[in-house]
Amino acid sequence: MPKRIFLREVTPLIEETLQGGGEVAFTPSGQSMLPMLRNRQDKIILVRPPEKLKKYDIPLYRRGNGQFVLHRVVDIKKDGYVLCGDHQWQVEHGIRHEQVIGVVRAFYRGDKYIDCHVGKTYQLYCVIWTKLLPARQIFFKLRGWAGRVRNKLYAG
């Protein structure tokens, strides 16, 4: 079984590698980027972030509390980036460029390699999924309500 390494333990090495022009590959954990990235299944390729991120980029950044997050840029404002996970509906405002460690250049979904800057299908996914952001809140609330109703029906 592969050894599990926490990101905070290797962050200095990751930052050094990226600043030197290298790439870093790892398997992220969490549900926030579903359906694009599956928890502990898919692999991402990080590169040094450009001077400015663009809409749809996926940065790895560090929150003020030290937590590492991988979310998509859904907007850019004067006070920073607006980010949101693909499996979320609440956006996070004011992420500064200094918080960004790297940006996803590509990922492997199983054995399939997907370049984040070339694939037309991936780009279409980004546009559609981001435009659906307002509808995600309704979807997640309805799904939660339906789950509670189902649990009450089967419990009684």
Side-chain angles (χ1 to χ4, degrees):
M1 183 159 136
K3 180 181 177 185
R4 199 166 158 201
I5 299 172
F6 294 97
L7 206 48
R8 68 180 174 273
E9 297 171 357
V10 293
T11 302
L13 181 60
I14 290 172
E15 290 176 324
E16 181 182 328
T17 302
L18 296 179
Q19 289 307 313
E23 298 181 344
V24 175
F26 68 92
T27 303
S29 65
Q31 306 288 330
S32 70
M33 284 303 290
L34 281 171
M36 189 185 99
L37 295 173
R38 300 170 296 178
N39 182 36
R40 296 187 181 145
Q41 292 182 51
D42 301 317
K43 186 187 326 181
I44 63 169
I45 311 295
L46 280 183
V47 295
R48 180 181 182 169
E51 291 291 319
K52 291 183 179 181
L53 297 180
K54 297 181 297 204
K55 190 172 183 178
Y56 311 127
D57 280 347
I58 305 169
L60 172 67
Y61 63 100
R62 189 180 355 228
R63 287 183 174 147
N65 65 6
Q67 181 182 21
F68 294 94
V69 184
L70 190 70
H71 282 169
R72 184 179 308 284
V73 176
V74 295
D75 201 1
I76 301 170
K77 303 281 185 183
K78 289 180 183 175
D79 68 337
Y81 302 112
V82 180
L83 294 124
C84 188
D86 285 0
H87 195 65
Q88 299 179 327
W89 57 271
Q90 292 180 317
V91 297
E92 189 170 1
H93 292 270
I95 302 301
R96 298 176 324 278
H97 196 76
E98 302 81 53
Q99 294 173 261
V100 176
I101 297 166
V103 65
V104 176
R105 180 182 58 89
F107 63 97
Y108 287 90
R109 181 154 175 95
D111 291 333
K112 185 174 181 182
Y113 177 83
I114 299 166
D115 189 308
C116 295
H117 299 104
V118 175
K120 298 269 189 234
T121 304
Y122 173 76
Q123 293 298 322
L124 181 61
Y125 164 82
C126 292
V127 171
I128 291 171
W129 205 250
T130 302
K131 288 195 182 295
L132 287 174
L133 185 56
R136 286 189 230 167
Q137 179 178 9
I138 297 166
F139 171 77
F140 286 121
K141 287 185 177 186
L142 284 173
R143 189 175 72 174
W145 175 81
R148 287 188 297 279
V149 168
R150 183 190 68 225
N151 290 343
K152 285 182 181 181
L153 289 173
Y154 286 114

